[in-house]
Amino acid sequence: MGTRNDIEFHAKSAPTQSDGGKDDNASLKGVVLGRENLSAALPPDDKYEGKHRWDAEATWTPEEEKAVVRMTDLYLLSWLCVMFFGLQLDRGNLSNALTDDLLDDLKLTSDDYNNGTTIQLLAFMTAEFPVQLLTKRFGFRRVLPLMMLAWGTVSWAQAWMYNRAGFYVTRALIGACEGGFIPGAILYATYFYTSKELSVRLAVFWSTLNVARVISALLAAGILKMRGIGGHTGWFWLFLLEGLLTVVLGAISYLYLPASPTNTTGVIFRKPWYTERQETIMVNRILRDDPAKGLTALKQPITVKDIKNTLRDPSLWGLFFIGLVAYIPATPVQAYLSLTLKRIGFSTFDSNMLTIPSAVLQIITMLVLAWSSDFFNERTFHCIFGELWIMPLLIALLTLPDGGREWSRFTMITLISGYPYFHPIVSSWISENSFDVKKRAVAAATYNVIVQVGSLIGSQIYRAYDKPYYKQGNKVLISICALSLVVFVVQRQTLVYLNKKKAEKWDQMSSDEKFAYQNDVAAREEDGNKRLDFRFEY
């Protein structure tokens, strides 16, 4: 289970976000462990956008808070999912285009395809940190939509590529324009949701990836039949139409997104999303869950010092390594799903339709896993469950005799591709263990870069010499899956050890020392998650 917030009372404890309550005897000393219990000792900075709604004495009912969350889901989360749909549509339509003989038309080999994927990932990673710096400098509501307009433009323009060079250039540009969008969107969402709400919302966010796979397959099945219209291929129309759709969504997003929970008006919304009462509830529930969010403004720039502090934090190293290895076992199987289906005899239409079951399965398994993680306040073993889902299926795929048994092969590939995707849990895990908002931004970007490095590695595991069943590749995937299980256990025990060392030092302090320590705001801003009264979740 996650860390326990052991409580030591010198008097009455500080209020927590869960009940919306207040300290009836605020003059007495209260020392309570845990990030969610520090709001009384850590008021928001004057530069914080919601400072005018902060009220340490504010109370509200659970029904009022649920209404605010529902409104946020309706207005913000739903549109972030639409934006992510646009990203996945343009990032994933290449696999649909493969079923329309894209490689043959461009005179490319499967290794050229792998190289194009690698180029896209390298460009994607290169853009991660610059985009995070831009979002913190100019605001999420402007940078994220402009990114959509950029990659949408490249996406429709790639309809006119005709050789290997054009393929490589468009892959690089799409990667560069999309890099940083996901961690930026996640960080943006943290200003509207508490840590306990984030895993499920991120699971919904990433479910859009699979919804896009389903809708993309349906669109591709129809659009690819346009081959011959205007003398163009089916994939020409696929890239053109889906790219133009993303440009439209990007333009709407520019007018739609709010600047902050207390500034939601704009061209589309002439009135605020929330009433003054609801803004008060929103701001105070967020700050009581994570008071560090009140220490920095949304547009406050990230410094070199912030980057150094993040990279030197041992509590994050294991999570970064998890990002490197944990998703590799399913990456090649998912990337080659439609191509594998086409190779074993399915038509273009059937190949695209048969990718839908794995997408639907992953939506269900990911949401259930994220809900369970939040309900039990546990991270490690839920992620391990995802790896344990994949390993026996990879072993079965490896040992399946060559030739025939195509429906058995399809079933195993579908189950692997639909595994419980624990990326939302790890992303939320990084967020709740970072404390400092700027460290959270850098950590999210670093983690996402490392995940892309893992994707790059995964894209090179299935090689042309090993086809059609990729026996050597599957052996490598099984080994990496086993390594991932070890990494999760080591990360958990590392956090247990760090919490234990903090507890030992904390227990040696007197009540007055603890109270003074907890109310040292300047030191808390400097130390962040290193503070003795901060406990890591695991």
Side-chain angles (χ1 to χ4, degrees), residues 91 94 108 110-127 154 158 163-179 452-453 455-457 459-460 463:
R91 186 170 60 171
L94 181 62
L108 302 177
S110 59
D111 285 346
D112 292 329
Y113 170 72
N114 285 342
N115 292 335
T117 302
T118 299
I119 290 171
Q120 179 180 350
L121 289 173
L122 287 173
F124 192 94
M125 291 185 292
T126 302
V154 177
Q158 71 182 332
N163 57 18
R164 183 187 294 108
F167 176 68
Y168 287 165
V169 169
T170 53
R171 287 295 96 193
L173 290 175
I174 284 182
C177 293
E178 292 180 341
Q452 300 312 315
V453 173
S455 296
L456 190 155
I457 295 171
S459 70
Q460 296 294 331
R463 306 299 296 177

Side-chain angles (χ1 to χ4, degrees), residues 27 44 93 126 156 276 354 394 408 418 508:
S27 63
N93 58 12
T126 302
W156 65 254
E276 290 187 9
L354 287 171
L394 285 172
S408 297
Q508 294 174 1

